[in-house]
Amino acid sequence: MDFRLTEEQEMVRQTARDFAENELRPGVAERDEKEIFPREAIQKLGELGFMGMIVSEEWGGSGFDTVTYVTAMEELARVDPSTEIICSVNNSLVCYALEKHGNDYIKENFLKKFATGEWLGAFCLTEPGSGSDAAAMTTTAVQDGDEWVINGAKNWITNGKNCDAYMMVVKTDPESGHRGTTTFVVPQDTPGIEIGKPEEKMGIRATDTVSLTLQDVRVPAANIVGKPGDGFKIMLSALDSGRMGVAAQGLGIAQGAFEAAVKYSKERVQFGKTISHFQAIRNKIADMGTRITAARQLLRYAAWRKDSGLSFNQEAAMAKVYCSEAATYCALEAIQIHGGYGYTKDYPVERMLRDAKITEIYEGTNEIQRIVIARSVLDEK
Ligand code: COS
């Protein structure tokens, strides 16, 4: 067993860290405050090969393994969790699923564009009436010759406004429950798609999150991902992979909050010494550091299982739960260590807490992750 990153993994991690420090950190507070989408940063990440990290080179990707991917995503999230999730939705939800399930037409015309960063992707599963109970979706597609006609609505779509195409699951045989669902790639400029007003969110405010109204949206049959009827399973398997991107986001936030707290504790003087000397503060630092180290190992283990061709559904869910809860925990403790200053926008830790909370909610709430974990542990799959 070797816990060290390989030379290549370490090089990619350093590239991600340099990018985050030089390109993301300078504007991160302003983008949060003014809800500015980091378009230029995403374009540069595309040029660096970070938008298709786990896609093979044949389809325009960088061909990295998943350990490299989560390591890079952690570095982005350590500084800018918004940019991380924009990137990770494209990488580990959309690109992963299209490479695994898409036909050559889809790979040539969509995957290549997403993987090179020419296009940005979004993932559409949730609807106003179906969140955790994803199979309860009611958006439909009806076949009309060589086309399918989609009607319905999707919401909570990360990248929904700034993307170029959606990976979207809908009911094509409403009588057959989840077995009557099909996944399509739908270009954003397809007539009949109305994009709602971006949600005004507590955190990850540089991302756009929108709802979509779909009225007679015509999509060629060639844009079906996998087989008709397999849509739900394709989306759930994409989420197994995507959840590692969210876990990396949580881990990066936890690490960023930890570093800010450690730094502040060594600067702030009370009772004649820096507060890093006080046991109450030291305990917090010890607990944060322990959780972060455990979170990182769990996430890299899940990623290693995926890279090794082993099942990773349970471990990805565990990593998502543990890393996201470490994020909220560390951000809260970092604020506590900063005292009143931590509760203001003069320090980054208040943003880190706002950014942390969503990691416990999206790509499957932590309550859903625990269902997934328990089913797997109890062998009830
Ligand atoms: N990958 C592939 N297939 C999977 C799967 C996975 N991870 N998990 C389950 N499936 C399959 C099952 O094998 C089953 O197939 P068969 O009917 O052929 O046996 C099918 O999917 C349905 O599974 P199940 O009966 O377990 O579905 P449920 O409706 O009970 O839902 C949960 C299972 C709750 C786990 C699922 O709905 C879920 O993950 N919900 C959260 C959705 C989510 O993450 N939303 C966030 C969207 S992005 S912001």
Side-chain angles (χ1 to χ4, degrees):
M1 189 184 295
D2 189 347
F3 285 99
R4 282 170 301 191
L5 296 176
T6 64
E7 225 171 274
E8 183 187 70
Q9 288 164 342
E10 180 54 30
M11 194 190 72
V12 176
R13 189 196 66 74
Q14 192 59 51
T15 305
R17 174 160 294 209
D18 292 346
F19 184 86
E21 290 297 342
N22 300 330
E23 304 280 342
L24 299 180
R25 196 179 291 284
V28 66
E30 188 189 4
R31 288 194 297 277
D32 167 67
E33 178 71 25
K34 299 183 181 160
E35 300 180 300
I36 301 169
F37 187 84
R39 185 168 292 287
E40 206 183 313
I42 295 299
Q43 193 195 324
K44 287 184 183 167
L45 283 165
E47 287 159 16
L48 281 174
F50 275 41
M51 297 307 283
M53 290 192 76
I54 51 175
V55 175
S56 61
E57 290 175 18
E58 182 190 358
W59 299 112
S62 304
F64 292 128
D65 61 14
T66 314
V67 172
T68 310
Y69 167 63
V70 296
T71 303
M73 290 301 110
E74 177 194 338
E75 291 293 345
L76 299 187
R78 171 180 163 272
V79 173
D80 184 351
S82 285
T83 297
E84 191 274 354
I85 199 69
I86 294 165
C87 195
S88 113
V89 163
N90 192 75
N91 271 284
S92 49
L93 277 178
V94 178
C95 286
Y96 169 74
L98 295 189
E99 179 156 36
K100 191 166 172 208
H101 301 284
N103 55 34
D104 280 359
Y105 170 81
I106 285 180
K107 288 179 179 167
E108 189 60 46
N109 291 283
F110 297 102
L111 176 59
K112 265 191 181 172
K113 290 180 179 168
F114 292 136
T116 53
E118 183 188 342
W119 275 21
L120 181 65
F123 179 88
C124 305
L125 170 65
T126 304
E127 298 184 1
S130 66
S132 291
D133 183 8
M137 70 187 85
T138 58
T139 296
T140 56
V142 175
Q143 190 161 16
D144 181 19
D146 280 348
E147 291 181 327
W148 289 76
V149 186
I150 303 177
N151 278 286
K154 294 283 174 187
N155 67 349
W156 302 120
I157 312 304
T158 304
N159 297 345
K161 183 164 171 254
N162 284 283
C163 72
D164 298 279
Y166 306 100
M167 189 170 95
M168 183 183 296
V169 64
V170 300
K171 286 231 159 115
T172 44
D173 177 6
E175 306 305 312
S176 303
H178 71 80
R179 291 189 184 149
T181 57
T182 302
T183 296
F184 292 85
V185 181
V186 186
Q188 198 206 41
D189 60 5
T190 310
I193 300 178
E194 195 186 318
I195 301 172
K197 188 172 147 291
E199 304 292 343
E200 226 182 279
K201 305 189 295 293
M202 168 182 172
I204 55 159
R205 287 165 54 83
T207 67
D208 76 79
T209 309
V210 296
S211 54
L212 305 178
T213 309
L214 307 152
Q215 200 178 354
D216 295 333
V217 177
R218 290 187 163 267
V219 184
N223 289 21
I224 290 178
V225 183
K227 288 201 308 287
D230 283 349
F232 187 67
K233 290 187 198 177
I234 289 171
M235 297 307 252
L236 286 192
S237 106
L239 281 165
D240 287 338
S241 157
R243 285 165 186 164
M244 284 194 263
V246 176
Q249 185 187 31
L251 176 59
I253 295 170
Q255 179 68 32
F258 180 58
E259 289 174 27
V262 168
K263 179 170 179 287
Y264 185 81
S265 77
K266 288 180 175 173
E267 291 166 1
R268 174 73 171 164
V269 175
Q270 290 292 279
F271 304 103
K273 40 182 141 168
T274 62
I275 62 171
S276 60
H277 286 88
F278 298 120
Q279 199 63 54
I281 302 295
R282 298 171 81 86
N283 285 349
K284 290 186 191 304
I285 287 170
D287 287 346
M288 291 162 85
T290 304
R291 286 193 201 202
I292 289 168
T293 303
R296 186 172 292 118
Q297 301 317 323
L298 186 48
L299 175 55
R300 289 186 183 172
Y301 174 61
W304 172 85
R305 285 189 66 94
K306 176 167 172 284
D307 291 335
S308 307
L310 300 167
S311 65
F312 61 94
N313 152 279
Q314 177 188 313
E315 291 74 15
M318 286 175 167
K320 198 273 193 185
V321 166
Y322 200 82
C323 292
S324 62
E325 291 176 2
T328 304
Y329 173 82
C330 290
L332 271 170
E333 289 295 67
I335 291 174
Q336 193 68 19
I337 290 172
H338 281 71
Y341 293 107
Y343 200 63
T344 70
K345 288 193 186 290
D346 293 343
Y347 286 82
V349 286
E350 68 82 33
R351 174 177 51 77
M352 290 171 176
L353 177 63
R354 291 188 286 102
D355 286 347
K357 186 59 197 170
I358 191 61
T359 64
E360 296 183 51
I361 299 171
Y362 58 16
E363 297 198 27
T365 62
N366 282 7
E367 289 74 13
I368 289 292
Q369 305 307 319
R370 287 181 164 93
I371 291 174
V372 170
I373 296 164
R375 279 183 182 181
S376 171
V377 169
L378 296 166
D379 210 12
E380 290 174 355
K381 276 197 283 186

